[in-house]
């Protein structure tokens, strides 16, 4: 698969760990992962935002593994957070998880279905 980050010079540049667009060519598989929430397998929910964010990424990893993929295959992320005050911690935990990977990304501050959830993340992966 050929993967190329696109950041047009005549448009705003990314302000963080993402690309404005990602072009894919010659991929064979495309995976859409539904919004993953900060729930552990036993239904417990971590209390603080950082722990919830790490759990969401663990849940994403589980879905990717089940499809025979890994985080290096992520090309698009949609993140929904419950409050703007979580922006910095979200960026920190996301950077821990993604490292140098720069997928296309959207971040929305939104009300989530369960008030105990502080974030929800969905991804698209390709191989």
């Amino acid at each position: 698969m050929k993967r190329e980050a696109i950041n047009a010079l005549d448009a705003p540049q990314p302000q963080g760990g993402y690309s404005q667009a990602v072009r894919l060519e010659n991929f064979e598989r495309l995976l859409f992962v539904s919004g993953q929430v900060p729930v552990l397998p036993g239904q417990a929910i971590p209390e603080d935002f950082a722990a919830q964010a790490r759990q969401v990424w663990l849940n994403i990893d589980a879905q990717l593994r089940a499809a025979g993929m890994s985080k290096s295959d992520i090309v698009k992320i949609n993140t929904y957070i419950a409050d703007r005050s979580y922006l910095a911690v979200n960026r920190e935990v996301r950077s821990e998880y993604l490292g140098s990977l720069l997928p296309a990304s959207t971040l929305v501050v939104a009300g989530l279905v369960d008030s105990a959830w502080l974030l929800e993340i969905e991804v698209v992966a390709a191989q």
Side-chain angles (χ1 to χ4, degrees):
M1 175 181 77
K2 181 178 176 188
R3 175 186 184 135
E4 179 184 5
I6 306 290
N7 294 295
L9 296 177
D10 58 344
Q13 295 302 299
Q15 301 298 309
Y18 68 96
S19 298
Q20 293 288 20
V22 175
R23 179 173 46 211
L24 302 176
E25 295 179 15
N26 305 319
F27 63 91
E28 295 180 13
R29 299 184 326 149
L30 195 57
L31 177 71
F32 296 86
V33 179
S34 294
Q36 297 298 294
V37 296
V39 178
L40 287 88
Q43 300 303 310
I45 300 171
E47 290 188 26
D48 69 69
F49 185 88
Q52 286 198 16
R54 287 183 182 96
Q55 185 59 49
V56 166
W57 288 113
L58 288 172
N59 294 345
I60 289 168
D61 269 342
Q63 301 306 326
L64 292 167
R65 273 193 315 275
M69 300 174 108
S70 71
K71 69 180 175 183
S72 65
D73 298 314
I74 295 173
V75 296
K76 175 71 169 100
I77 299 171
N78 293 328
T79 303
Y80 307 92
I81 61 174
D83 191 277
R84 283 179 174 79
S85 65
Y86 302 129
L87 288 171
V89 177
N90 180 66
R91 183 176 286 172
E92 178 184 319
V93 174
R94 175 190 152 118
S95 292
E96 286 173 13
Y97 176 77
L98 292 177
S100 62
L101 186 64
L102 301 173
S105 182
T106 299
L107 176 82
V108 177
V109 177
L112 302 174
V113 171
D114 187 322
S115 61
W117 302 343
L118 303 178
L119 78 161
E120 181 172 347
I121 301 174
E122 59 186 20
V123 302
V124 177
Q127 282 184 329

